[in-house]
Amino acid sequence: MNVQATPDQFRHWRMRRGISQQKAAEILGYKDRSIVCHFEAGRKPINARVWKLCLLLDEKDERDVNR
């Protein structure tokens, strides 16, 4: 499992889900959207915990769709 993500990959993940920066922050356990804004702008690195959670959410959604 690749645990490194670029700002573009992270933004693509959020946009593919059709969620706002605020909603992404809430899903990932942050209080407000500022951290998501920093991730997408490349001002803060996207840590392994965050990206693994994004990938796990994708896997869960795939399983739910295939049921």
Side-chain angles (χ1 to χ4, degrees):
M1 180 185 289
N2 185 5
V3 295
Q4 300 297 317
T6 66
D8 286 338
Q9 287 173 310
F10 184 83
R11 184 179 306 103
H12 179 72
W13 172 83
R14 180 178 66 79
M15 301 291 277
R16 192 175 65 246
R17 297 181 80 76
I19 58 175
S20 66
Q21 288 180 337
Q22 180 63 41
K23 186 65 177 172
E26 292 169 8
I27 289 169
L28 297 171
Y30 294 102
K31 292 182 181 181
D32 62 53
R33 71 177 189 89
S34 65
I35 190 68
V36 172
C37 184
H38 289 301
F39 288 158
E40 291 183 1
R43 290 188 294 267
K44 295 251 184 197
I46 301 159
N47 67 48
R49 179 193 68 84
V50 169
W51 191 237
K52 282 181 184 178
L53 181 54
C54 293
L55 297 176
L56 287 171
L57 288 168
D58 284 348
E59 286 178 20
K60 179 192 175 299
D61 288 349
E62 273 187 41
R63 283 193 308 268
D64 290 347
V65 167
N66 292 325
R67 286 187 182 178

